[in-house]
Amino acid sequence: MDVRSRSYNALWQENNHLYEQWARAHGLSYNELLILISLVDSDNGCSQKDVSRQWMIPKQTVHSILKNMVRQKLVFLESSIADKRSKHIRFTDEGRRFAEQITGELFRLEQKIWDRLGTEQTKALLHGLSLCNQFMKEEIALEHT
C-alpha cells in the first residue's frame, strides 16, 4: 500500500476515533451521536433509511438505536405520508432539547477547530478532500466500463 494511502487511512481512523471518544464522554455511542446530528440537521424529520444511507450505518443498527431512543422518550416514529411502510423519525420536546444541547457542544468544538485552522487551511483541506472524492468516483466509474 502506498504511504499516502496509509497516512490518509490512519488520519481518517484517528478522526473517527476522536469523535467516538467525544461521544462516549457525553454518554453516547458514536452511532447515537451520528443519528442525533442527522435529526438535528433535518428540519422536518427523516427516515431510518435516510440516516442509514447518510452515515453508512446498517439499517438494523439504526433501528436498534431508535428503539432505545423511543423508550427514552427522545424520539417518536410516525408513518410517512408518501410511503406507509417507511417511518419518519421526529423529536419529542425533551429529545430536541437533549439533541440540541449535545450537538451544540460538538458544533462549538468544531467551530473552534475551524477557527484555529484558519480560512486558507480550511479551504485547502475541504478542497483536497473534495478532489479525492471526485477522483475516487471517476476511478470507480472507469472500473465498471
PDB file of all heavy atoms in Angstrom, residues 17-54:
ATOM      1  N   HIS A  17     -12.079   7.978  15.574  1.00  0.00           N
ATOM      2  CA  HIS A  17     -11.851   7.613  16.978  1.00  0.00           C
ATOM      3  C   HIS A  17     -12.044   8.824  17.891  1.00  0.00           C
ATOM      4  O   HIS A  17     -12.618   8.701  18.980  1.00  0.00           O
ATOM      5  CB  HIS A  17     -10.449   7.019  17.149  1.00  0.00           C
ATOM      6  CG  HIS A  17     -10.142   6.635  18.555  1.00  0.00           C
ATOM      7  ND1 HIS A  17     -10.739   5.567  19.182  1.00  0.00           N
ATOM      8  CD2 HIS A  17      -9.321   7.211  19.473  1.00  0.00           C
ATOM      9  CE1 HIS A  17     -10.289   5.495  20.434  1.00  0.00           C
ATOM     10  NE2 HIS A  17      -9.437   6.473  20.627  1.00  0.00           N
ATOM     11  N   LEU A  18     -11.591   9.994  17.458  1.00  0.00           N
ATOM     12  CA  LEU A  18     -11.751  11.205  18.274  1.00  0.00           C
ATOM     13  C   LEU A  18     -13.225  11.555  18.460  1.00  0.00           C
ATOM     14  O   LEU A  18     -13.658  11.921  19.561  1.00  0.00           O
ATOM     15  CB  LEU A  18     -10.990  12.375  17.649  1.00  0.00           C
ATOM     16  CG  LEU A  18      -9.466  12.252  17.717  1.00  0.00           C
ATOM     17  CD1 LEU A  18      -8.803  13.291  16.811  1.00  0.00           C
ATOM     18  CD2 LEU A  18      -8.982  12.375  19.151  1.00  0.00           C
ATOM     19  N   TYR A  19     -14.016  11.414  17.391  1.00  0.00           N
ATOM     20  CA  TYR A  19     -15.458  11.657  17.514  1.00  0.00           C
ATOM     21  C   TYR A  19     -16.104  10.606  18.415  1.00  0.00           C
ATOM     22  O   TYR A  19     -17.001  10.920  19.203  1.00  0.00           O
ATOM     23  CB  TYR A  19     -16.131  11.674  16.139  1.00  0.00           C
ATOM     24  CG  TYR A  19     -16.060  13.019  15.483  1.00  0.00           C
ATOM     25  CD1 TYR A  19     -14.970  13.380  14.703  1.00  0.00           C
ATOM     26  CD2 TYR A  19     -17.087  13.949  15.652  1.00  0.00           C
ATOM     27  CE1 TYR A  19     -14.894  14.627  14.100  1.00  0.00           C
ATOM     28  CE2 TYR A  19     -17.024  15.197  15.051  1.00  0.00           C
ATOM     29  CZ  TYR A  19     -15.928  15.531  14.281  1.00  0.00           C
ATOM     30  OH  TYR A  19     -15.862  16.772  13.696  1.00  0.00           O
ATOM     31  N   GLU A  20     -15.632   9.367  18.315  1.00  0.00           N
ATOM     32  CA  GLU A  20     -16.157   8.313  19.174  1.00  0.00           C
ATOM     33  C   GLU A  20     -15.834   8.606  20.640  1.00  0.00           C
ATOM     34  O   GLU A  20     -16.692   8.453  21.515  1.00  0.00           O
ATOM     35  CB  GLU A  20     -15.580   6.956  18.767  1.00  0.00           C
ATOM     36  CG  GLU A  20     -16.141   5.806  19.570  1.00  0.00           C
ATOM     37  CD  GLU A  20     -15.611   4.462  19.113  1.00  0.00           C
ATOM     38  OE1 GLU A  20     -14.701   4.403  18.274  1.00  0.00           O
ATOM     39  OE2 GLU A  20     -16.131   3.449  19.619  1.00  0.00           O
ATOM     40  N   GLN A  21     -14.613   9.065  20.912  1.00  0.00           N
ATOM     41  CA  GLN A  21     -14.224   9.440  22.275  1.00  0.00           C
ATOM     42  C   GLN A  21     -15.111  10.561  22.800  1.00  0.00           C
ATOM     43  O   GLN A  21     -15.561  10.528  23.944  1.00  0.00           O
ATOM     44  CB  GLN A  21     -12.777   9.944  22.299  1.00  0.00           C
ATOM     45  CG  GLN A  21     -11.724   8.916  22.521  1.00  0.00           C
ATOM     46  CD  GLN A  21     -10.377   9.600  22.647  1.00  0.00           C
ATOM     47  OE1 GLN A  21      -9.870  10.210  21.710  1.00  0.00           O
ATOM     48  NE2 GLN A  21      -9.793   9.506  23.816  1.00  0.00           N
ATOM     49  N   TRP A  22     -15.339  11.563  21.963  1.00  0.00           N
ATOM     50  CA  TRP A  22     -16.154  12.699  22.367  1.00  0.00           C
ATOM     51  C   TRP A  22     -17.574  12.219  22.700  1.00  0.00           C
ATOM     52  O   TRP A  22     -18.151  12.612  23.711  1.00  0.00           O
ATOM     53  CB  TRP A  22     -16.183  13.764  21.260  1.00  0.00           C
ATOM     54  CG  TRP A  22     -16.829  15.028  21.716  1.00  0.00           C
ATOM     55  CD1 TRP A  22     -16.209  16.106  22.274  1.00  0.00           C
ATOM     56  CD2 TRP A  22     -18.232  15.342  21.697  1.00  0.00           C
ATOM     57  NE1 TRP A  22     -17.138  17.070  22.598  1.00  0.00           N
ATOM     58  CE2 TRP A  22     -18.383  16.622  22.251  1.00  0.00           C
ATOM     59  CE3 TRP A  22     -19.357  14.663  21.265  1.00  0.00           C
ATOM     60  CZ2 TRP A  22     -19.626  17.241  22.380  1.00  0.00           C
ATOM     61  CZ3 TRP A  22     -20.603  15.269  21.391  1.00  0.00           C
ATOM     62  CH2 TRP A  22     -20.714  16.544  21.945  1.00  0.00           C
ATOM     63  N   ALA A  23     -18.119  11.362  21.848  1.00  0.00           N
ATOM     64  CA  ALA A  23     -19.472  10.839  22.069  1.00  0.00           C
ATOM     65  C   ALA A  23     -19.541  10.083  23.399  1.00  0.00           C
ATOM     66  O   ALA A  23     -20.451  10.304  24.204  1.00  0.00           O
ATOM     67  CB  ALA A  23     -19.889   9.935  20.903  1.00  0.00           C
ATOM     68  N   ARG A  24     -18.577   9.209  23.640  1.00  0.00           N
ATOM     69  CA  ARG A  24     -18.572   8.416  24.879  1.00  0.00           C
ATOM     70  C   ARG A  24     -18.472   9.311  26.113  1.00  0.00           C
ATOM     71  O   ARG A  24     -19.107   9.047  27.133  1.00  0.00           O
ATOM     72  CB  ARG A  24     -17.441   7.404  24.872  1.00  0.00           C
ATOM     73  CG  ARG A  24     -17.698   6.253  23.946  1.00  0.00           C
ATOM     74  CD  ARG A  24     -16.640   5.156  24.122  1.00  0.00           C
ATOM     75  NE  ARG A  24     -16.681   4.222  23.020  1.00  0.00           N
ATOM     76  CZ  ARG A  24     -17.552   3.229  22.918  1.00  0.00           C
ATOM     77  NH1 ARG A  24     -18.467   3.058  23.836  1.00  0.00           N
ATOM     78  NH2 ARG A  24     -17.524   2.420  21.874  1.00  0.00           N
ATOM     79  N   ALA A  25     -17.680  10.363  26.011  1.00  0.00           N
ATOM     80  CA  ALA A  25     -17.542  11.309  27.131  1.00  0.00           C
ATOM     81  C   ALA A  25     -18.860  12.028  27.423  1.00  0.00           C
ATOM     82  O   ALA A  25     -19.054  12.573  28.510  1.00  0.00           O
ATOM     83  CB  ALA A  25     -16.447  12.328  26.836  1.00  0.00           C
ATOM     84  N   HIS A  26     -19.759  12.004  26.450  1.00  0.00           N
ATOM     85  CA  HIS A  26     -21.067  12.642  26.610  1.00  0.00           C
ATOM     86  C   HIS A  26     -22.196  11.614  26.739  1.00  0.00           C
ATOM     87  O   HIS A  26     -23.368  11.924  26.529  1.00  0.00           O
ATOM     88  CB  HIS A  26     -21.320  13.604  25.445  1.00  0.00           C
ATOM     89  CG  HIS A  26     -20.441  14.805  25.517  1.00  0.00           C
ATOM     90  ND1 HIS A  26     -19.124  14.795  25.104  1.00  0.00           N
ATOM     91  CD2 HIS A  26     -20.671  16.046  26.003  1.00  0.00           C
ATOM     92  CE1 HIS A  26     -18.596  15.974  25.317  1.00  0.00           C
ATOM     93  NE2 HIS A  26     -19.497  16.754  25.863  1.00  0.00           N
ATOM     94  N   GLY A  27     -21.811  10.371  27.064  1.00  0.00           N
ATOM     95  CA  GLY A  27     -22.793   9.333  27.353  1.00  0.00           C
ATOM     96  C   GLY A  27     -23.458   8.710  26.146  1.00  0.00           C
ATOM     97  O   GLY A  27     -24.533   8.118  26.265  1.00  0.00           O
ATOM     98  N   LEU A  28     -22.831   8.834  24.980  1.00  0.00           N
ATOM     99  CA  LEU A  28     -23.407   8.311  23.750  1.00  0.00           C
ATOM    100  C   LEU A  28     -22.436   7.383  23.043  1.00  0.00           C
ATOM    101  O   LEU A  28     -21.221   7.498  23.218  1.00  0.00           O
ATOM    102  CB  LEU A  28     -23.722   9.455  22.778  1.00  0.00           C
ATOM    103  CG  LEU A  28     -24.725  10.509  23.219  1.00  0.00           C
ATOM    104  CD1 LEU A  28     -24.668  11.697  22.282  1.00  0.00           C
ATOM    105  CD2 LEU A  28     -26.116   9.920  23.266  1.00  0.00           C
ATOM    106  N   SER A  29     -22.977   6.527  22.205  1.00  0.00           N
ATOM    107  CA  SER A  29     -22.123   5.791  21.276  1.00  0.00           C
ATOM    108  C   SER A  29     -21.887   6.692  20.066  1.00  0.00           C
ATOM    109  O   SER A  29     -22.617   7.678  19.855  1.00  0.00           O
ATOM    110  CB  SER A  29     -22.796   4.487  20.827  1.00  0.00           C
ATOM    111  OG  SER A  29     -23.879   4.765  19.943  1.00  0.00           O
ATOM    112  N   TYR A  30     -20.927   6.354  19.266  1.00  0.00           N
ATOM    113  CA  TYR A  30     -20.629   7.112  18.048  1.00  0.00           C
ATOM    114  C   TYR A  30     -21.848   7.138  17.124  1.00  0.00           C
ATOM    115  O   TYR A  30     -22.243   8.185  16.612  1.00  0.00           O
ATOM    116  CB  TYR A  30     -19.420   6.473  17.356  1.00  0.00           C
ATOM    117  CG  TYR A  30     -18.980   7.117  16.076  1.00  0.00           C
ATOM    118  CD1 TYR A  30     -18.552   8.439  16.045  1.00  0.00           C
ATOM    119  CD2 TYR A  30     -18.963   6.390  14.888  1.00  0.00           C
ATOM    120  CE1 TYR A  30     -18.127   9.029  14.866  1.00  0.00           C
ATOM    121  CE2 TYR A  30     -18.532   6.967  13.711  1.00  0.00           C
ATOM    122  CZ  TYR A  30     -18.109   8.289  13.706  1.00  0.00           C
ATOM    123  OH  TYR A  30     -17.688   8.866  12.531  1.00  0.00           O
ATOM    124  N   ASN A  31     -22.481   5.983  16.942  1.00  0.00           N
ATOM    125  CA  ASN A  31     -23.649   5.913  16.056  1.00  0.00           C
ATOM    126  C   ASN A  31     -24.828   6.701  16.610  1.00  0.00           C
ATOM    127  O   ASN A  31     -25.585   7.303  15.843  1.00  0.00           O
ATOM    128  CB  ASN A  31     -24.035   4.463  15.789  1.00  0.00           C
ATOM    129  CG  ASN A  31     -23.048   3.769  14.862  1.00  0.00           C
ATOM    130  OD1 ASN A  31     -22.367   4.411  14.075  1.00  0.00           O
ATOM    131  ND2 ASN A  31     -22.971   2.454  14.960  1.00  0.00           N
ATOM    132  N   GLU A  32     -25.014   6.709  17.915  1.00  0.00           N
ATOM    133  CA  GLU A  32     -26.073   7.531  18.508  1.00  0.00           C
ATOM    134  C   GLU A  32     -25.832   9.013  18.202  1.00  0.00           C
ATOM    135  O   GLU A  32     -26.766   9.744  17.859  1.00  0.00           O
ATOM    136  CB  GLU A  32     -26.152   7.330  20.023  1.00  0.00           C
ATOM    137  CG  GLU A  32     -26.732   5.999  20.430  1.00  0.00           C
ATOM    138  CD  GLU A  32     -26.589   5.712  21.909  1.00  0.00           C
ATOM    139  OE1 GLU A  32     -25.590   6.137  22.528  1.00  0.00           O
ATOM    140  OE2 GLU A  32     -27.489   5.044  22.460  1.00  0.00           O
ATOM    141  N   LEU A  33     -24.580   9.435  18.314  1.00  0.00           N
ATOM    142  CA  LEU A  33     -24.234  10.821  18.002  1.00  0.00           C
ATOM    143  C   LEU A  33     -24.559  11.137  16.543  1.00  0.00           C
ATOM    144  O   LEU A  33     -25.151  12.177  16.244  1.00  0.00           O
ATOM    145  CB  LEU A  33     -22.751  11.083  18.282  1.00  0.00           C
ATOM    146  CG  LEU A  33     -22.231  12.467  17.901  1.00  0.00           C
ATOM    147  CD1 LEU A  33     -22.937  13.561  18.692  1.00  0.00           C
ATOM    148  CD2 LEU A  33     -20.719  12.536  18.088  1.00  0.00           C
ATOM    149  N   LEU A  34     -24.182  10.253  15.632  1.00  0.00           N
ATOM    150  CA  LEU A  34     -24.451  10.481  14.214  1.00  0.00           C
ATOM    151  C   LEU A  34     -25.947  10.600  13.944  1.00  0.00           C
ATOM    152  O   LEU A  34     -26.384  11.448  13.155  1.00  0.00           O
ATOM    153  CB  LEU A  34     -23.834   9.368  13.369  1.00  0.00           C
ATOM    154  CG  LEU A  34     -22.311   9.248  13.413  1.00  0.00           C
ATOM    155  CD1 LEU A  34     -21.843   8.078  12.557  1.00  0.00           C
ATOM    156  CD2 LEU A  34     -21.630  10.535  13.016  1.00  0.00           C
ATOM    157  N   ILE A  35     -26.741   9.777  14.605  1.00  0.00           N
ATOM    158  CA  ILE A  35     -28.187   9.827  14.418  1.00  0.00           C
ATOM    159  C   ILE A  35     -28.741  11.153  14.941  1.00  0.00           C
ATOM    160  O   ILE A  35     -29.576  11.792  14.286  1.00  0.00           O
ATOM    161  CB  ILE A  35     -28.869   8.612  15.073  1.00  0.00           C
ATOM    162  CG1 ILE A  35     -28.522   7.344  14.272  1.00  0.00           C
ATOM    163  CG2 ILE A  35     -30.385   8.808  15.177  1.00  0.00           C
ATOM    164  CD1 ILE A  35     -28.931   6.048  14.923  1.00  0.00           C
ATOM    165  N   LEU A  36     -28.258  11.600  16.098  1.00  0.00           N
ATOM    166  CA  LEU A  36     -28.704  12.899  16.618  1.00  0.00           C
ATOM    167  C   LEU A  36     -28.358  14.030  15.651  1.00  0.00           C
ATOM    168  O   LEU A  36     -29.172  14.927  15.416  1.00  0.00           O
ATOM    169  CB  LEU A  36     -28.089  13.175  17.987  1.00  0.00           C
ATOM    170  CG  LEU A  36     -28.601  12.339  19.150  1.00  0.00           C
ATOM    171  CD1 LEU A  36     -27.864  12.720  20.434  1.00  0.00           C
ATOM    172  CD2 LEU A  36     -30.106  12.482  19.331  1.00  0.00           C
ATOM    173  N   ILE A  37     -27.161  13.974  15.077  1.00  0.00           N
ATOM    174  CA  ILE A  37     -26.749  15.003  14.117  1.00  0.00           C
ATOM    175  C   ILE A  37     -27.707  15.009  12.922  1.00  0.00           C
ATOM    176  O   ILE A  37     -28.156  16.064  12.478  1.00  0.00           O
ATOM    177  CB  ILE A  37     -25.289  14.788  13.663  1.00  0.00           C
ATOM    178  CG1 ILE A  37     -24.332  15.086  14.819  1.00  0.00           C
ATOM    179  CG2 ILE A  37     -24.957  15.666  12.449  1.00  0.00           C
ATOM    180  CD1 ILE A  37     -22.888  14.665  14.570  1.00  0.00           C
ATOM    181  N   SER A  38     -28.031  13.834  12.405  1.00  0.00           N
ATOM    182  CA  SER A  38     -28.958  13.746  11.260  1.00  0.00           C
ATOM    183  C   SER A  38     -30.304  14.363  11.598  1.00  0.00           C
ATOM    184  O   SER A  38     -30.883  15.103  10.802  1.00  0.00           O
ATOM    185  CB  SER A  38     -29.184  12.291  10.851  1.00  0.00           C
ATOM    186  OG  SER A  38     -28.066  11.783  10.207  1.00  0.00           O
ATOM    187  N   LEU A  39     -30.806  14.040  12.776  1.00  0.00           N
ATOM    188  CA  LEU A  39     -32.124  14.533  13.161  1.00  0.00           C
ATOM    189  C   LEU A  39     -32.123  16.036  13.400  1.00  0.00           C
ATOM    190  O   LEU A  39     -33.074  16.726  13.023  1.00  0.00           O
ATOM    191  CB  LEU A  39     -32.623  13.794  14.399  1.00  0.00           C
ATOM    192  CG  LEU A  39     -32.910  12.310  14.195  1.00  0.00           C
ATOM    193  CD1 LEU A  39     -33.255  11.642  15.514  1.00  0.00           C
ATOM    194  CD2 LEU A  39     -34.011  12.119  13.185  1.00  0.00           C
ATOM    195  N   VAL A  40     -31.075  16.553  14.005  1.00  0.00           N
ATOM    196  CA  VAL A  40     -30.986  18.000  14.235  1.00  0.00           C
ATOM    197  C   VAL A  40     -30.864  18.722  12.898  1.00  0.00           C
ATOM    198  O   VAL A  40     -31.464  19.785  12.703  1.00  0.00           O
ATOM    199  CB  VAL A  40     -29.804  18.346  15.176  1.00  0.00           C
ATOM    200  CG1 VAL A  40     -29.487  19.826  15.161  1.00  0.00           C
ATOM    201  CG2 VAL A  40     -30.110  17.889  16.598  1.00  0.00           C
ATOM    202  N   ASP A  41     -30.107  18.149  11.977  1.00  0.00           N
ATOM    203  CA  ASP A  41     -29.905  18.775  10.663  1.00  0.00           C
ATOM    204  C   ASP A  41     -31.154  18.743   9.790  1.00  0.00           C
ATOM    205  O   ASP A  41     -31.292  19.562   8.888  1.00  0.00           O
ATOM    206  CB  ASP A  41     -28.756  18.095   9.911  1.00  0.00           C
ATOM    207  CG  ASP A  41     -27.400  18.576  10.373  1.00  0.00           C
ATOM    208  OD1 ASP A  41     -27.323  19.560  11.134  1.00  0.00           O
ATOM    209  OD2 ASP A  41     -26.393  17.958   9.961  1.00  0.00           O
ATOM    210  N   SER A  42     -32.042  17.787  10.021  1.00  0.00           N
ATOM    211  CA  SER A  42     -33.247  17.694   9.186  1.00  0.00           C
ATOM    212  C   SER A  42     -34.370  18.474   9.868  1.00  0.00           C
ATOM    213  O   SER A  42     -34.750  18.186  10.987  1.00  0.00           O
ATOM    214  CB  SER A  42     -33.648  16.243   8.970  1.00  0.00           C
ATOM    215  OG  SER A  42     -34.137  15.684  10.160  1.00  0.00           O
ATOM    216  N   ASP A  43     -34.862  19.462   9.181  1.00  0.00           N
ATOM    217  CA  ASP A  43     -35.892  20.324   9.763  1.00  0.00           C
ATOM    218  C   ASP A  43     -37.199  19.597  10.018  1.00  0.00           C
ATOM    219  O   ASP A  43     -37.894  19.869  10.984  1.00  0.00           O
ATOM    220  CB  ASP A  43     -36.170  21.517   8.827  1.00  0.00           C
ATOM    221  CG  ASP A  43     -34.973  22.432   8.695  1.00  0.00           C
ATOM    222  OD1 ASP A  43     -34.205  22.536   9.665  1.00  0.00           O
ATOM    223  OD2 ASP A  43     -34.811  23.030   7.614  1.00  0.00           O
ATOM    224  N   ASN A  44     -37.507  18.661   9.149  1.00  0.00           N
ATOM    225  CA  ASN A  44     -38.827  18.045   9.189  1.00  0.00           C
ATOM    226  C   ASN A  44     -38.763  16.555   9.508  1.00  0.00           C
ATOM    227  O   ASN A  44     -39.614  15.803   9.097  1.00  0.00           O
ATOM    228  CB  ASN A  44     -39.524  18.284   7.834  1.00  0.00           C
ATOM    229  CG  ASN A  44     -41.013  18.327   7.969  1.00  0.00           C
ATOM    230  OD1 ASN A  44     -41.538  18.443   9.069  1.00  0.00           O
ATOM    231  ND2 ASN A  44     -41.691  18.228   6.849  1.00  0.00           N
ATOM    232  N   GLY A  45     -37.710  16.133  10.219  1.00  0.00           N
ATOM    233  CA  GLY A  45     -37.532  14.720  10.494  1.00  0.00           C
ATOM    234  C   GLY A  45     -36.952  14.005   9.277  1.00  0.00           C
ATOM    235  O   GLY A  45     -36.797  14.593   8.216  1.00  0.00           O
ATOM    236  N   CYS A  46     -36.629  12.754   9.450  1.00  0.00           N
ATOM    237  CA  CYS A  46     -36.086  11.960   8.345  1.00  0.00           C
ATOM    238  C   CYS A  46     -36.418  10.503   8.601  1.00  0.00           C
ATOM    239  O   CYS A  46     -36.915  10.150   9.661  1.00  0.00           O
ATOM    240  CB  CYS A  46     -34.584  12.189   8.196  1.00  0.00           C
ATOM    241  SG  CYS A  46     -33.607  11.816   9.661  1.00  0.00           S
ATOM    242  N   SER A  47     -36.127   9.680   7.638  1.00  0.00           N
ATOM    243  CA  SER A  47     -36.429   8.254   7.773  1.00  0.00           C
ATOM    244  C   SER A  47     -35.200   7.492   8.272  1.00  0.00           C
ATOM    245  O   SER A  47     -34.079   7.991   8.220  1.00  0.00           O
ATOM    246  CB  SER A  47     -36.872   7.676   6.427  1.00  0.00           C
ATOM    247  OG  SER A  47     -35.771   7.583   5.555  1.00  0.00           O
ATOM    248  N   GLN A  48     -35.444   6.278   8.734  1.00  0.00           N
ATOM    249  CA  GLN A  48     -34.339   5.412   9.146  1.00  0.00           C
ATOM    250  C   GLN A  48     -33.418   5.141   7.966  1.00  0.00           C
ATOM    251  O   GLN A  48     -32.201   5.099   8.117  1.00  0.00           O
ATOM    252  CB  GLN A  48     -34.895   4.102   9.705  1.00  0.00           C
ATOM    253  CG  GLN A  48     -35.687   4.290  10.980  1.00  0.00           C
ATOM    254  CD  GLN A  48     -36.262   2.990  11.506  1.00  0.00           C
ATOM    255  OE1 GLN A  48     -35.560   1.991  11.583  1.00  0.00           O
ATOM    256  NE2 GLN A  48     -37.531   3.006  11.880  1.00  0.00           N
ATOM    257  N   LYS A  49     -34.023   4.971   6.784  1.00  0.00           N
ATOM    258  CA  LYS A  49     -33.241   4.716   5.574  1.00  0.00           C
ATOM    259  C   LYS A  49     -32.325   5.912   5.271  1.00  0.00           C
ATOM    260  O   LYS A  49     -31.172   5.735   4.889  1.00  0.00           O
ATOM    261  CB  LYS A  49     -34.171   4.457   4.388  1.00  0.00           C
ATOM    262  CG  LYS A  49     -33.448   4.027   3.128  1.00  0.00           C
ATOM    263  CD  LYS A  49     -34.391   3.911   1.948  1.00  0.00           C
ATOM    264  CE  LYS A  49     -35.173   2.638   2.018  1.00  0.00           C
ATOM    265  NZ  LYS A  49     -35.977   2.401   0.797  1.00  0.00           N
ATOM    266  N   ASP A  50     -32.839   7.140   5.448  1.00  0.00           N
ATOM    267  CA  ASP A  50     -32.027   8.345   5.223  1.00  0.00           C
ATOM    268  C   ASP A  50     -30.794   8.348   6.128  1.00  0.00           C
ATOM    269  O   ASP A  50     -29.680   8.613   5.683  1.00  0.00           O
ATOM    270  CB  ASP A  50     -32.834   9.623   5.502  1.00  0.00           C
ATOM    271  CG  ASP A  50     -33.975   9.836   4.538  1.00  0.00           C
ATOM    272  OD1 ASP A  50     -33.910   9.327   3.400  1.00  0.00           O
ATOM    273  OD2 ASP A  50     -34.947  10.520   4.937  1.00  0.00           O
ATOM    274  N   VAL A  51     -31.013   8.052   7.410  1.00  0.00           N
ATOM    275  CA  VAL A  51     -29.908   8.048   8.383  1.00  0.00           C
ATOM    276  C   VAL A  51     -28.905   6.963   8.021  1.00  0.00           C
ATOM    277  O   VAL A  51     -27.691   7.193   8.020  1.00  0.00           O
ATOM    278  CB  VAL A  51     -30.436   7.836   9.816  1.00  0.00           C
ATOM    279  CG1 VAL A  51     -29.287   7.673  10.801  1.00  0.00           C
ATOM    280  CG2 VAL A  51     -31.334   8.992  10.239  1.00  0.00           C
ATOM    281  N   SER A  52     -29.411   5.784   7.687  1.00  0.00           N
ATOM    282  CA  SER A  52     -28.546   4.662   7.329  1.00  0.00           C
ATOM    283  C   SER A  52     -27.664   5.010   6.134  1.00  0.00           C
ATOM    284  O   SER A  52     -26.452   4.757   6.147  1.00  0.00           O
ATOM    285  CB  SER A  52     -29.412   3.438   7.017  1.00  0.00           C
ATOM    286  OG  SER A  52     -28.618   2.346   6.662  1.00  0.00           O
ATOM    287  N   ARG A  53     -28.274   5.612   5.118  1.00  0.00           N
ATOM    288  CA  ARG A  53     -27.519   5.990   3.911  1.00  0.00           C
ATOM    289  C   ARG A  53     -26.516   7.108   4.191  1.00  0.00           C
ATOM    290  O   ARG A  53     -25.393   7.060   3.704  1.00  0.00           O
ATOM    291  CB  ARG A  53     -28.487   6.473   2.838  1.00  0.00           C
ATOM    292  CG  ARG A  53     -28.818   5.416   1.849  1.00  0.00           C
ATOM    293  CD  ARG A  53     -29.456   6.008   0.613  1.00  0.00           C
ATOM    294  NE  ARG A  53     -30.596   5.191   0.272  1.00  0.00           N
ATOM    295  CZ  ARG A  53     -31.818   5.621   0.099  1.00  0.00           C
ATOM    296  NH1 ARG A  53     -32.111   6.882   0.199  1.00  0.00           N
ATOM    297  NH2 ARG A  53     -32.777   4.788  -0.192  1.00  0.00           N
ATOM    298  N   GLN A  54     -26.944   8.117   4.946  1.00  0.00           N
ATOM    299  CA  GLN A  54     -26.087   9.275   5.199  1.00  0.00           C
ATOM    300  C   GLN A  54     -24.782   8.884   5.875  1.00  0.00           C
ATOM    301  O   GLN A  54     -23.721   9.376   5.512  1.00  0.00           O
ATOM    302  CB  GLN A  54     -26.831  10.292   6.071  1.00  0.00           C
ATOM    303  CG  GLN A  54     -26.011  11.530   6.376  1.00  0.00           C
ATOM    304  CD  GLN A  54     -26.762  12.517   7.265  1.00  0.00           C
ATOM    305  OE1 GLN A  54     -27.859  12.264   7.749  1.00  0.00           O
ATOM    306  NE2 GLN A  54     -26.151  13.655   7.488  1.00  0.00           N
TER     307      GLN A  54
END
